[in-house]
Each structure stands twice: as structure tokens, then as C-alpha cells.
Amino acid sequence: MGMEHKNGKYGVDLDRFNRLSEALSRNHQEAISADYWHGYLCGIGLSPTAVPEREWMGMVINRESDEDSAELEEELREALKGILEALEDRVFKPYFPGDDGDWRTCSPSQWCEGFLTASHHWPGDLQQGAGGELVALTLPVILFHNPGEYFESQASHLTESEREELMDQSFAFLPAGLHEIPGLWQEVLQEELPDEPDEYENGSGDAF
């Protein structure tokens, strides 16, 4: 059983994180939800190789804005650190507003969009090396990003009850799948880069 994280299952203090999200919305002059940024930071943290801060931070902060970018950068670093600690302790859970344990009562799509946006930083060759195992671990994210599109393009043969059953199973599995991604990257890196150190470094450059 994973140890209890100081910021709970989300890895961040939600009040503080929501204030950060509001500041980022002002920075972008566009309303972007906290759950989107939570998913984005999770995706950055789960990259198989360290994502240069200037790359991922550059997508988060509009440096031409009047908002104090230095303060926002520090808040983002702290949030990413907390999320990574919760992932390492295997207590992490995505922040879905309204989540009471049932996908019918919450809104996972924005979190999933943020995660998938961040996954564009993952090296393509390593994703290819991870193959079907990575697809299986991230399938719930893909499904809940846009269920209608997924069922139309990938599973149009399923009945309504079968679709609900798949969504129930996927929602329950989603956090566990995220917890397994670092171990999968470790295996892939040992195969693809046998001369590199055995220790897996997550997207922030910290060893898991």
C-alpha cells in the first residue's frame, strides 16, 4: 500500500492549485481549467526522458503577459514536484472536478486533454518500443478525452451496455495504469539504451 502523501491523492493542495490555474488563465487571457493543468503536469512528469523545462514551461506561461512569470514558474515547479511524489508513492489520482468515484458525475475530459498534450513531449521511438503495453495503460485517458469519438472510431460494434461497462472498468483502472508507466519506461529504456544507467528518470529529471 502506498504511503500517504502530504498533499493527498492529487499531489497538490487544490485551493492553491486552483489559484495557480486562475493566475495562468489571466496570463493566457483565456480560461483554462485547473484539471487541464493537473493532467498536463502529470503527463510531463511521466515522460520517459527529462523534458527541458523551457519546453514544457513555455507551453504553460505566456511570457509577454503582465503576470509575474517568475512566481508562476516556481508555483508550477512545486506542483510538478508534488505530483511526482504522489506518483512515486503510488497514491496519485487525477483531479476530476466533481469526482465521487463515478465517471457519470465528473468531467475527466479536460484532465485527459492536458495529459495527452503533455505526452507529445514523449520520444516517439520510446513510445513505439513500449508498444501495446503503453496503449493499454493510457487507453482510459484516450477514452475519457472524447468517449463519443473513441467509440465511433475504435469500438462502434459495442452495445450501449458494453460501452458503459468499458467506461466503468477504464475509470477504475486509470490511476493504476498511470502508476505502472514508470516501470514500463524502465523496461523500454533498458532495451533501447542498454549503456545508459538503469535508473529511470521521469520528465522532470528526477530518478524514480
Side-chain angles (χ1 to χ4, degrees), residues 19-28 56-57 60-62 65-79:
R19 289 194 296 271
L20 170 61
S21 175
E22 291 170 1
L24 290 172
S25 292
R26 292 193 298 270
N27 177 265
H28 282 266
W56 70 262
M57 193 81 78
V60 179
I61 294 179
N62 174 14
S65 171
D66 292 334
E67 195 76 33
D68 186 349
S69 61
E71 184 176 343
L72 290 178
E73 288 174 6
E74 188 57 33
E75 286 283 335
L76 285 163
R77 291 187 192 103
E78 284 298 310

Side-chain angles (χ1 to χ4, degrees), residues 123-137:
D125 57 336
L126 297 182
Q127 290 192 60
Q128 185 175 358
E133 290 184 66
L134 181 61
V135 172
L137 294 178

Side-chain angles (χ1 to χ4, degrees), residues 12 23 94 121 129 161 163:
V12 297
H121 291 282
S161 62
R163 293 182 182 194

Side-chain angles (χ1 to χ4, degrees), residues 65-185:
S65 171
D66 292 334
E67 195 76 33
D68 186 349
S69 61
E71 184 176 343
L72 290 178
E73 288 174 6
E74 188 57 33
E75 286 283 335
L76 285 163
R77 291 187 192 103
E78 284 298 310
L80 177 59
K81 179 181 178 182
I83 288 170
L84 288 170
E85 289 175 353
L87 283 164
E88 185 174 3
D89 293 341
R90 301 178 73 87
V91 299
F92 179 82
K93 186 174 182 181
Y95 169 45
F96 301 148
D99 182 10
D100 63 358
D102 189 332
W103 57 268
R104 299 167 184 82
T105 60
C106 64
S107 303
S109 62
Q110 284 295 302
W111 190 96
C112 295
E113 181 177 348
F115 183 92
L116 293 173
T117 298
S119 72
H120 294 157
H121 291 282
W122 299 358
D125 57 336
L126 297 182
Q127 290 192 60
Q128 185 175 358
E133 290 184 66
L134 181 61
V135 172
L137 294 178
T138 57
L139 180 60
V141 179
I142 297 169
L143 170 58
F144 281 102
H145 175 231
N146 191 330
E149 181 179 294
Y150 176 82
F151 285 120
E152 181 178 347
S153 62
Q154 303 293 328
S156 59
H157 61 285
L158 295 180
T159 66
E160 190 63 33
S161 62
E162 289 172 334
R163 293 182 182 194
E164 287 213 3
E165 182 179 1
L166 177 59
M167 293 183 75
D168 286 339
Q169 294 171 347
S170 297
F171 191 80
F173 176 72
L174 200 158
L178 299 175
H179 297 160
E180 297 302 321
I181 290 176
L184 175 59
W185 287 138

Side-chain angles (χ1 to χ4, degrees), residues 26-45:
R26 292 193 298 270
N27 177 265
H28 282 266
Q29 297 183 338
E30 176 186 1
I32 303 175
S33 62
D35 44 326
Y36 175 92
W37 293 124
H38 193 255
Y40 180 83
L41 292 175
C42 178
I44 291 298

Side-chain angles (χ1 to χ4, degrees), residues 124-131 185-196:
D125 57 336
L126 297 182
Q127 290 192 60
Q128 185 175 358
W185 287 138
Q186 179 70 61
E187 295 174 8
V188 172
L189 287 167
Q190 288 178 352
E191 293 177 2
E192 299 285 330
L193 304 170
D195 296 329
E196 293 296 313

